[in-house]
Amino acid sequence: MPESLDRRMRRPSSSRLSLAPDEMRRLGYRVVDLLIERIAGLEQSSVWTGAARSETERLLREPAPEEGRAADEVLERAVRDVLAVAGRIDHPRFFAFVPSCPTWPSILGDFLAAGYNVFQGTWLESAGPSQVELVVTDWFRAWLGMPESAGGLLTSGGSAANLLALVTARESLAEPDAAGAGVLYLSDQGHGSLVRAARIMGIPPSRMRTVATDGSYRLDVRALAETLASDRSAGLTPLCVCANAGSTNTGSIDPLPEIADVCARERVWLHVDGAYGGFAALTAEGWRLLHGIERADSVALDPHKWLFQPYEAGCLIVRDARALGRAFRQGGDYLQDVQLGLEQVNFADRGLQLTRSFRALKVWISIQVLGLRAFREAVAEGMELARRAEAHIRNATHLELLAPASLGVVCYRYRDPVMALAEEELERLNERIQDEIVSSGYAMLSSTRLRGRYALRLCILNYHSTWDDVRGVLERVEETGRRLDAPLLGQRPG
Ligand SMILES: *Cc1c(COP(=O)(O)O)cnc(C)c1O
């Protein structure tokens, strides 16, 4: 660094909050080293480290220190006692919930955005960053095949995107009088964040309809049409139909074209929750599977899932971007300087947050550096691994497929083909298998319930995961099941 720059950074104030440039640089490099060490050692580390509240209290409970401590010691302690006591969501054998594995350029993007202290609420305060958010959301729009009139914003995640979508749907109702009485339609595989959004919006359970799904966990379009018709004839106003483009449970994709037909006929807002699955549109196969998504009035996406971005990064794309402004724009005398004309977008007018971080930067940097092709290949690879997992499960004598691979998800369980265990026994056994594998640190697994049946669930989205990782987990489930099953059977009467 040129000396003049160093001199400029040595501010005249003597605030205790500022560090000398050399110290800043040293600590910054230290953090980079810590992160590289972590990422390089991921595979060798345990996939999950949990702790009871009593332990974490003992480690961390203390009054805020009045005087500062040595930064290296604080960093070391943060790594050892805080950051290490958690799941390693980007471990190649983390297959629970919905994993995430950010790329290095995207991590640097978050670092840069924080360091530049971007206020991404108004154009006045962030013209360049706001333009990048326009560009990135427009990339997403194009990937979904939505018209150029569509636009959106980045959010904290899919939950926020879903909430904003439902509010936008309500504020866009042709009959504003009905805004307080609209009915919401979800499939029985709909994400819990939609139910929570409804609660936040004050939509009571009496105005929510859970529409059944078929044998493949896809929304039953006829049941939807009937429910809509019966609500209409009861004088109710449909508010929004929520369809899944990758349900969290099974990865199922609702029949989007048929649902879009129903919504067009009934003039009802169609929201597609693609938080987990939407970025499959980057691949040829995913694009085919998601056909119809381009007809949605709004789509929720989660770049922090299948676009390999660090938390937090969600996104809402709305077919008519102006609907967002109508739903959320709000004045404030102290903001009178920020209206710079229609061309300039104030992202604060499109959602919940006034102060917003520059989430688009990480997406933009990572795609610029790595190229979109690398992302397409990584998504396709996840889908391919899920398909191979399904084939492996079908061929394994002691595994039972409960839902075929869809996008990156497969559901299955251990089951002895000969011993007819009762459902509760199977559940207890599979729970124990999962507990044992998780506590061994080898892999992180999670379960779900499909039509009441306990299911183990693999969600494969990590570009570090290989077939050996997936196969290793499936083999371990089978082995563990056989071992646990034997004494269990011994205890059985007769
Ligand atoms: C993850 C997920 C959400 C919630 O998104 P967050 O980013 O966790 O807030 C909503 N819907 C689906 C289908 C999801 O997979």
Side-chain angles (χ1 to χ4, degrees), residues 13-283:
S13 105
S14 62
S15 167
R16 288 179 195 277
L17 291 180
S18 64
L19 300 181
D22 281 344
E23 182 66 351
M24 288 167 67
R25 207 172 294 128
R26 197 184 61 76
L27 289 174
Y29 295 155
R30 178 75 194 120
V31 167
V32 169
D33 286 342
L34 287 168
L35 290 177
I36 306 280
E37 264 169 52
R38 172 189 178 275
I39 292 169
L42 255 187
E43 190 165 5
Q44 281 69 46
S45 33
S46 155
V47 64
W48 175 77
T49 305
R53 171 77 182 264
S54 56
E55 284 173 78
T56 54
E57 284 285 340
R58 189 179 51 72
L59 278 172
L60 298 166
R61 173 70 59 190
E62 63 184 325
E66 194 58 32
E67 300 299 328
R69 297 168 174 167
D72 294 270
E73 280 163 35
V74 175
L75 283 179
E76 194 186 307
R77 183 167 171 225
V79 167
R80 187 189 58 229
D81 295 344
V82 181
L83 293 161
V85 188
R88 282 173 259 294
I89 319 289
D90 43 355
H91 188 290
R93 286 186 300 279
F94 191 106
F95 295 125
F97 314 112
V98 180
S100 127
C101 184
T103 66
W104 185 245
S106 60
I107 293 169
L108 295 181
D110 254 0
F111 189 21
L112 265 179
Y116 267 83
N117 200 30
V118 176
F119 177 93
Q120 181 76 332
T122 62
W123 193 274
L124 180 75
E125 288 166 276
S126 59
S130 297
Q131 180 64 45
V132 165
E133 186 158 349
L134 285 175
V135 168
V136 164
T137 49
D138 200 55
W139 288 348
F140 295 173
R141 170 203 68 75
W143 300 346
L144 297 171
M146 291 174 83
E148 285 179 17
S149 61
L153 77 164
L154 296 189
T155 64
S156 56
S159 302
N162 280 336
L163 172 62
L164 298 184
L166 298 188
V167 172
T168 309
R170 185 189 63 194
E171 297 301 309
S172 302
L173 276 178
E175 315 95 29
D177 292 348
V183 180
L184 190 63
Y185 302 80
L186 295 173
S187 99
D188 60 26
Q189 300 296 304
H191 194 269
S193 61
L194 289 162
V195 178
R196 182 159 46 204
R199 201 182 299 158
I200 294 169
M201 292 166 69
I203 300 175
S206 61
R207 286 196 279 115
M208 290 172 63
R209 305 284 177 265
T210 306
V211 183
T213 51
D214 64 16
S216 308
Y217 303 98
R218 292 157 44 106
L219 184 136
D220 179 338
V221 182
R222 185 181 298 181
L224 171 68
E226 284 169 6
T227 313
L228 275 167
S230 95
D231 282 338
R232 284 268 199 226
S233 59
L236 297 169
T237 304
L239 169 62
C240 177
V241 170
C242 300
N244 289 308
S247 66
T248 314
N249 255 348
T250 65
S252 62
I253 300 165
D254 289 334
L256 300 176
E258 289 80 4
I259 296 173
D261 286 343
V262 170
C263 288
R265 201 165 57 231
E266 294 281 341
R267 296 185 316 285
V268 182
W269 187 282
L270 170 57
H271 174 62
V272 175
D273 183 357
Y276 144 63
F279 289 108
L282 284 172
T283 69

Side-chain angles (χ1 to χ4, degrees), residues 447-489:
S447 65
T448 188
R449 243 165 232 292
L450 299 176
R451 310 267 185 251
R453 288 195 301 182
Y454 184 93
L456 296 173
R457 175 178 163 283
L458 285 179
C459 186
I460 309 168
L461 304 187
N462 181 336
Y463 61 89
H464 286 313
S465 303
T466 64
W467 172 238
D468 280 347
D469 293 314
V470 177
R471 195 192 52 204
V473 166
L474 291 171
E475 287 176 355
R476 212 170 262 227
V477 167
E478 220 177 345
E479 283 159 24
T480 311
R482 283 182 192 234
R483 184 163 41 74
L484 293 174
D485 207 2
L488 204 75
L489 290 173

Side-chain angles (χ1 to χ4, degrees), residues 244-323:
N244 289 308
S247 66
T248 314
N249 255 348
T250 65
S252 62
I253 300 165
D254 289 334
L256 300 176
E258 289 80 4
I259 296 173
D261 286 343
V262 170
C263 288
R265 201 165 57 231
E266 294 281 341
R267 296 185 316 285
V268 182
W269 187 282
L270 170 57
H271 174 62
V272 175
D273 183 357
Y276 144 63
F279 289 108
L282 284 172
T283 69
E285 187 196 352
W287 174 241
R288 190 174 51 70
L289 292 170
L290 294 176
H291 174 62
I293 199 169
E294 71 284 354
R295 294 174 60 191
D297 292 293
S298 55
V299 179
L301 297 169
D302 250 347
H304 63 209
K305 288 177 178 165
W306 230 353
L307 201 65
F308 313 105
Q309 302 300 321
Y311 304 126
E312 300 170 344
C315 178
L316 175 65
I317 303 288
V318 173
R319 178 168 212 83
D320 175 5
R322 292 168 307 177

